[in-house]
Amino acid sequence: MSREQILNAAVMLALVAFPLWAWAADEPFLITLTTKAAILALAGVGLNIALGLGGLVSLGHAAFFGIGGYAMGVLASHAQLYDPILESPFLIEGTKSMPIIWLVAITASGLAALAIGALSLRTSGVYFIMITLAFGQMLYFFAISWPAYGGEDGLSIYARNDFPGLNTLDPIQFYIIVLALLAAVLLLTSRLAKSPFGLALNAARQSPVRVETVGISPYRLRLIAFTISGMITGLAGALFADLNRFVSPTMLSWQTSGEIMVFVIIGGVARLFGPVVGAMLFILLEHLLGGLSDYWHVYLGVLLLLIVLFARGGVIGSLAGRGKAHD
Amino acid sequence: MTEPILQTIGITKSFGALQASQDISIDLRPGEIHALIGPNGAGKSTLIKQIAGGLRPDAGQVLFRGEDVTPLGTAERARRGLARTFQISALAMEDTVLQNALLGAMGAGGTAFRFFRPALAQRDLRAVAENALELVGLSAHAATPTFELSHGQRRQLEVAVALTLAPKAFVMDEPMAGLGFEGSKNLTNFLDRLRDTAPILLVEHDMDAVFALADRVSVLVYGRIIATGTVEEIRNDPDVRVAYLGEDA
């Protein structure tokens, strides 16, 4: 096992052990805190496919996070009011069932990523950053000015949605759902990175002409990567909204995009567990420093600066050494 | 006369006032090495780009195996069996030698859009990639990260990646550039045998290599082909001597 694999295993172990300890010690707040970290990690894992593997610096991932959130909000708010979303030409009712909500969130954010990607990926570099940012902000202002679902005030859901066989209001049971999803997505992502698609995507980041001269279209590779990336971040958005039982346009704002990117950079770009470590550290800092000062972001800024200047591989890179061309 | 595999008919391209390609018609026949020479700025790279697909000509056609490929992009031409190598190595430097070769195998097999099984575990792809590395003599370096390769080895890897496409024609942009004497000699011997696999359109500055390898030579000067012929004919062509080899050559 490489050092990185040992480190990944340790992180996974901590994600299992710490909430179990908190549960035994009757500290539900700590479980909720870990749940938040795991959900944000999932959003980061999504972004990391575009950013790490594909080299696509997207400043618009809040769009997918928010679409996932609103998918949950819209479905659940209709369900709790027993008010169908659509009556004619056919009936669409709201739902409180998590698996259906996830499916809708993934589909909606995937379609949005496909559309946004299809346009944005015609540009590159700083233009790509700007155009993804612009799409994100478009959705943000749309959500603010759309009164049907709360507009600027957002949308509250009275009770957490249901999962068959579990009591989702119990923090540890909701955490188990989130952790299972995170683990499944991490597994799929690790397979994806080593698959022919992952290999080609990674090569397109390093040398697009190379990929083109062997008959593979870099645009197609990137569009698929961007779509998968958006779907995962959308799923995280639905879970985040469920955790808070609240959706608001803030989820769609560019600060959210920035925060997701910060998780990836702190933990390590293109590292499988980079966003997980990044999100955990972010939540830890927010919890510890947030108590000391309202301006705790200053310390976060300093940390980010140090990482970008001295540890390009993020925390994982510093601890596990530089990324080897994967075996 | 045998049907040419690759052919340009009256290719014309200008950038503003600069006529980079003027009515260029050349062809590449089975089993031959056709060298394209010319002084710096003659428009060799522009011509190669139009043939390989990176640049659309203003007028004229590119025919590949009888098909008009002028409207097609680089990737589509590559899938039809047109393999290109670059003047400056365009390899995925962080990846291993084998991974670079696998990339070619994936492109050729149309299997780049497999998402789950590890690429290195796919026997069909691996066989193609390993065979190509064997041919260029890079088998021992399969697991080496590409950035650790010497300049000459990178050149060999470029050729190996091209080979994985099971190409019907090669377009090589200065493969000898930056190689030492020994390296050029080895690559010359290798290309000499490679022409039986597929014909090569060879852009090259190294005259020893060109005269040793080429069945035919075309001379490009200021965007115009001034002569095409055997090595002997080109050596004795008065226009070529004036324009390119230097009057007293």
Side-chain angles (χ1 to χ4, degrees), chain B residues 91-231:
Chain B
L91 297 160
M93 288 296 169
E94 297 166 21
D95 291 349
T96 64
V97 167
L98 180 60
Q99 283 172 324
N100 269 285
L102 274 172
L103 212 55
M106 282 155 43
T111 52
F113 295 92
R114 288 184 191 167
F115 297 88
F116 198 66
R117 241 153 43 84
L120 291 171
Q122 311 210 1
R123 278 210 206 101
D124 51 341
L125 297 179
R126 237 185 129 128
V128 174
E130 280 169 349
N131 182 40
L133 291 180
E134 175 86 52
L135 279 172
V136 301
L138 275 181
S139 291
H141 297 280
T144 309
T146 304
F147 65 82
E148 286 181 10
L149 293 185
S150 72
H151 191 79
Q153 288 170 326
R154 287 179 195 181
R155 279 285 130 88
Q156 287 171 291
L157 181 53
E158 281 268 344
V159 177
V161 176
L163 276 170
T164 57
L165 296 172
K168 303 293 183 291
F170 291 99
V171 176
M172 296 191 180
D173 198 355
E174 299 201 22
M176 311 287 174
L179 293 185
F181 175 73
E182 198 63 28
S184 303
K185 216 175 72 184
N186 290 339
L187 191 56
T188 303
N189 288 335
F190 180 71
L191 295 185
D192 197 18
R193 280 175 280 131
L194 194 61
R195 80 179 91 196
D196 300 324
T197 308
I200 305 171
L201 181 63
L202 179 70
V203 176
E204 189 49 66
H205 265 305
D206 181 339
M207 282 306 141
D208 291 336
V210 167
F211 289 149
L213 284 171
D215 298 291
R216 286 189 302 155
V217 180
S218 289
V219 184
L220 188 66
V221 178
Y222 295 123
R224 201 186 289 277
I225 298 278
I226 61 165
T228 297
T230 63
V231 169

Side-chain angles (χ1 to χ4, degrees), chain A residues 139-176:
Chain A
L139 285 173
Y140 170 68
F141 285 109
F142 177 74
I144 283 184
S145 54
W146 194 24
Y149 296 105
E152 208 166 352
D153 299 330
L155 196 58
S156 284
I157 304 302
Y158 310 140
R160 194 167 283 155
N161 295 305
D162 312 317
F163 190 88
L166 290 177
N167 172 16
T168 55
L169 282 170
D170 178 8
I172 193 78
Q173 296 196 34
F174 183 59
Y175 177 72
I176 288 168

Side-chain angles (χ1 to χ4, degrees), chain A residues 187-188 191-192 194-200 202-203 205-207 209-217 220-221 224 228 322 324-327, chain B residues 74-75 78-79 84 86 90-96 99 102-104 106-108 111-120 122 158 161 165:
Chain A
L187 181 70
L188 289 175
R191 300 290 304 217
L192 186 78
K194 287 181 182 152
S195 73
F197 175 77
L199 188 69
N202 198 25
R205 175 178 60 79
Q206 301 169 55
S207 173
V209 274
R210 159 53 57 216
V211 172
E212 229 179 344
T213 29
V214 297
I216 308 168
S217 151
R220 233 177 107 192
L221 289 168
I224 292 174
I228 295 174
R322 73 173 296 288
K324 180 163 82 69
H326 23 214
D327 31 294
Chain B
T74 308
R79 280 202 291 276
R84 180 188 180 189
F86 291 87
L91 297 160
M93 288 296 169
E94 297 166 21
D95 291 349
T96 64
Q99 283 172 324
L102 274 172
L103 212 55
M106 282 155 43
T111 52
F113 295 92
R114 288 184 191 167
F115 297 88
F116 198 66
R117 241 153 43 84
L120 291 171
Q122 311 210 1
E158 281 268 344
V161 176
L165 296 172

Side-chain angles (χ1 to χ4, degrees), chain A residues 52-320:
Chain A
L53 276 183
L56 307 168
V57 185
S58 162
L59 207 47
H61 262 53
F64 314 125
F65 195 62
I67 286 172
Y70 271 94
M72 173 284 194
V74 169
L75 288 170
S77 69
H78 280 280
Q80 72 188 3
L81 296 172
Y82 301 101
D83 167 31
I85 296 171
L86 195 71
E87 277 177 296
S88 66
F90 45 85
L91 183 74
I92 300 179
E93 284 189 88
T95 177
K96 298 282 286 178
S97 159
M98 279 190 191
I100 298 176
I101 289 172
W102 297 340
L103 211 64
V104 173
I106 290 171
T107 311
S109 49
L111 287 173
L114 187 67
I116 293 176
L119 295 167
S120 312
L121 287 168
R122 295 186 187 280
T123 66
S124 61
V126 93
Y127 299 101
F128 180 78
I129 301 176
M130 285 298 129
I131 197 167
T132 49
L133 173 66
F135 276 117
Q137 288 301 91
M138 260 169 60
L139 285 173
Y140 170 68
F141 285 109
F142 177 74
I144 283 184
S145 54
W146 194 24
Y149 296 105
E152 208 166 352
D153 299 330
L155 196 58
S156 284
I157 304 302
Y158 310 140
R160 194 167 283 155
N161 295 305
D162 312 317
F163 190 88
L166 290 177
N167 172 16
T168 55
L169 282 170
D170 178 8
I172 193 78
Q173 296 196 34
F174 183 59
Y175 177 72
I176 288 168
I177 294 174
V178 170
L179 185 63
L181 285 172
L182 177 63
V185 169
L186 282 170
L187 181 70
L188 289 175
T189 308
S190 78
R191 300 290 304 217
L192 186 78
K194 287 181 182 152
S195 73
F197 175 77
L199 188 69
L201 179 65
N202 198 25
R205 175 178 60 79
Q206 301 169 55
S207 173
V209 274
R210 159 53 57 216
V211 172
E212 229 179 344
T213 29
V214 297
I216 308 168
S217 151
Y219 177 79
R220 233 177 107 192
L221 289 168
R222 290 177 182 146
L223 184 56
I224 292 174
F226 194 75
T227 305
I228 295 174
S229 168
M231 287 159 85
I232 295 172
T233 303
L235 175 63
L239 292 169
F240 190 74
D242 230 334
L243 173 71
N244 301 322
R245 277 162 277 172
F246 178 65
V247 207
S248 78
T250 312
M251 279 183 77
L252 289 157
S253 74
W254 69 271
Q255 285 94 334
T256 305
S257 297
E259 271 180 18
I260 300 174
M261 195 177 291
V262 165
F263 307 149
V264 179
I265 294 171
I266 291 182
V269 175
R271 304 303 184 108
L272 182 62
F273 272 70
V276 182
V277 171
M280 284 165 75
L281 215 57
F282 185 90
I283 295 298
L284 190 71
L285 285 175
E286 185 181 50
H287 183 59
L288 294 179
L289 300 175
L292 294 177
S293 154
D294 281 346
Y295 303 106
W296 71 276
H297 281 96
V298 172
Y299 303 107
L300 180 74
V302 172
L303 177 72
L304 199 60
L305 209 62
L306 289 175
I307 284 179
V308 172
L309 287 176
F310 301 113
R312 294 295 289 274
V315 173
I316 301 234
S318 311
L319 294 178

